Amino acid sequence: MINKKKFDFVLAGYLIALIALGCIVIFSASTTTIGGYTNTQNYWWKQAIFAVISLLAVYLLLKIPMSIFELLIVPAYILNILALILVLFTPPVNGAHRWFSFLGINYQPSESAKLLTILVVARAISQDNMTEIKQIFIALGLTVLPALLILIEPDFGSTLVFFFSLLAMLIAAELPLYYILLLISPVISIITSFWWIAIIIWIIVLVYLLLRARLSWITISIASILNVFLALITPVFWNGLKDYQQQRILSFFNPMADPLGAGYQIIQAKIAVGSGSIFGKGWLEGTQKNMHFLPEHHTDFIFSVIGEEFGFIGSLVLLGLFFLFFHRLINDIGQIQVRERRIAAAGIFAYLLFQTFINIGMNIGLIPATGIPLPFISYGGSNLLFSTLAVGVVLKYLNERGLMK
């Protein structure tokens, strides 16, 4: 059966609205107003240029024949892995090796790696006659490679995006939920490891769920032993850290533990959002931004600028636009009938949703600062280009559905 082409103008409209809103907010974040003095940095017009380039890239993507697009996925992934290796040898910026710079243009290969890894994993695990175990190991292998290279940069936040997308793709591939449980169980064991009652309850729940799944006693025993081992070894590892190492980790989870150091950004972001009240301080009038108390206010903490200058109402408008965008995106995924494309679209949805949730969460103090930008809103050419292309891929899948499979 062949489906007719169907371009989703509504999803494209939400995408353009988010990008336009980002350019407007970046203009405010780039402008310092103190008394009669006003100075605007060039971030906003650079973002406007990035926006035009990103939308043109989506237009070109839609014009490329699907056969050529699919042919380019694996070579592009391999080249991206090489770029992630080469970037480790570039001069550090703020202690991290993340960017290639050429003629004033910065390229961050970790941003393209997110999208390309999703496309390659979807291709690999959608092959016919592949066992579930093989699906898991191949998906993990293709994901762990770029994730480890990005972790070395270091960029812990981007690494988390890979595994959240991976879980979404495995679920979309209709992998039994007990496999998903086995994959996330080590994380839960580490979290519960500092309270012995929580450890006991978790292991009992894990064994019960695996028994309900009718797994073999060998599988259940191995999973239980590994999780108990992780739960027991984590406190030993923690106690083996030096005091300053423990303090850094504690500050990551509790900013008030180091208010002038690791926790400074989140504290200032919370002050900015809270001071905006209902209607905000007004366009260009954010004091936390203007007095530069809020670091990185045009990138990772741009949501705080929205909260300070436009208040609860402005923040609600942005959240409402994101809600409409993601609601439309997930509805579109349900219309994609080719298995590989549906799995890839699920990974793209998870990748964008996770970044949105984490960024806004850290701006309001619910989540530790991880350096994850707000899709389409934060300043950054690489982030904007590949986030926009990710949506372009879904639009392409909808526009060229092809044969049911």
Side-chain angles (χ1 to χ4, degrees):
M1 174 181 177
I2 298 178
N3 290 302
K4 294 181 180 180
K5 293 186 177 184
K6 181 184 177 183
F7 184 80
D8 191 343
F9 288 96
V10 176
L11 180 63
Y14 290 146
L15 172 64
I16 293 171
L18 284 168
I19 292 174
L21 182 59
C23 291
I24 293 170
V25 177
I26 288 172
F27 177 85
S28 177
S30 304
T31 301
T32 300
T33 303
I34 303 176
Y37 170 80
T38 300
N39 177 56
T40 301
Q41 295 177 291
N42 60 11
Y43 296 123
W44 71 273
W45 64 260
K46 284 186 176 181
Q47 189 75 357
I49 293 173
F50 292 146
V52 173
I53 292 173
S54 298
L55 293 174
L56 285 175
V58 170
Y59 175 79
L60 292 175
L61 175 66
L62 294 172
K63 293 297 182 181
I64 296 175
M66 182 61 77
S67 58
I68 295 178
F69 170 74
E70 293 180 338
L71 189 65
L72 293 174
I73 290 174
V74 174
Y77 171 82
I78 295 172
L79 289 174
N80 207 136
I81 294 297
L82 294 176
L84 288 173
I85 295 172
L86 290 175
V87 80
L88 299 176
F89 299 96
T90 59
V93 178
N94 296 326
H97 304 267
R98 299 180 188 174
W99 298 272
F100 290 111
S101 296
F102 181 73
L103 297 177
I105 298 174
N106 294 329
Y107 161 58
Q108 193 171 354
S110 60
E111 293 296 336
S112 53
K114 296 171 187 175
L115 175 58
L116 290 171
T117 301
I118 288 171
L119 296 177
V120 166
V121 170
R123 168 75 58 81
I125 67 177
S126 61
Q127 301 300 316
D128 295 330
N129 302 320
M130 182 177 289
T131 64
E132 294 161 347
I133 294 296
K134 192 174 181 180
Q135 280 183 319
I136 292 174
F137 277 104
I138 290 177
L140 279 173
L142 292 171
T143 303
V144 167
L145 179 56
L148 284 178
L149 291 171
I150 292 171
L151 191 61
I152 295 171
E153 292 182 357
D155 187 356
F156 179 69
S158 292
T159 304
L160 294 176
V161 176
F162 282 84
F163 291 101
F164 192 79
S165 300
L166 174 62
L167 288 177
M169 286 189 287
L170 291 175
I171 292 172
E174 299 178 345
L175 200 72
L177 289 180
Y178 57 79
Y179 282 118
I180 306 298
L181 176 64
L182 288 173
L183 285 173
I184 66 173
S185 62
V187 177
I188 301 176
S189 296
I190 292 172
I191 294 173
T192 60
S193 62
F194 292 94
W195 190 27
W196 65 270
I197 295 178
I199 296 173
I200 294 173
I201 294 174
W202 161 237
I203 296 301
I204 292 174
V205 169
L206 176 63
V207 172
Y208 171 74
L209 292 175
L210 295 180
L211 285 172
R212 286 287 303 271
R214 298 182 179 180
L215 295 183
S216 67
W217 276 104
I218 295 176
T219 303
I220 296 173
S221 300
I222 292 174
S224 301
I225 292 170
L226 286 175
N227 278 276
V228 169
F229 173 77
L230 279 174
L232 294 177
I233 201 66
T234 300
V236 176
F237 172 78
W238 172 260
N239 292 328
L241 295 176
K242 297 183 183 299
D243 290 340
Y244 77 90
Q245 293 173 321
Q246 292 183 355
Q247 187 61 37
R248 285 181 182 177
I249 296 174
L250 289 173
S251 298
F252 178 78
F253 290 102
N254 178 22
M256 294 306 296
D258 187 13
L260 298 179
Y264 180 79
Q265 288 179 309
I266 289 184
I267 292 171
Q268 296 302 319
K270 290 172 67 177
I271 292 172
V273 173
S275 64
S277 190
I278 301 297
F279 298 103
K281 295 178 179 178
W283 172 250
L284 306 179
E285 298 299 323
T287 53
Q288 290 293 106
K289 175 208 70 177
N290 287 329
M291 300 300 292
H292 295 283
F293 292 127
L294 179 63
E296 307 296 336
H297 50 256
H298 62 295
T299 54
D300 298 344
F301 289 91
I302 197 165
F303 183 80
S304 299
V305 175
I306 297 172
E308 184 178 28
E309 295 191 345
F310 301 101
F312 176 75
I313 299 299
S315 301
L316 199 61
V317 169
L318 177 62
L319 291 174
L321 185 55
F322 267 118
F323 173 80
L324 293 173
F325 169 78
F326 285 118
H327 182 265
R328 185 73 181 188
L329 187 57
I330 200 168
N331 284 340
D332 284 345
I333 292 172
Q335 298 179 36
I336 299 174
Q337 296 170 322
V338 178
R339 188 166 184 264
E340 176 188 335
R341 301 174 189 177
R342 186 173 63 251
I343 293 171
I348 289 170
F349 171 81
Y351 139 56
L352 294 173
L353 179 65
F354 181 77
Q355 292 201 157
T356 303
F357 176 79
I358 293 297
N359 181 275
I360 294 176
M362 74 182 188
N363 271 263
I364 60 179
L366 295 179
I367 295 172
T370 57
I372 291 180
L374 185 59
F376 317 114
I377 307 296
S378 293
Y379 172 78
S382 297
N383 172 56
L384 179 60
L385 174 61
F386 289 103
S387 294
T388 305
L389 279 174
V391 181
V393 170
V394 178
L395 289 171
K396 186 173 184 64
Y397 288 159
L398 290 167
N399 200 38
E400 302 183 38
R401 298 190 201 182
L403 295 172
M404 287 184 64
K405 186 177 179 180

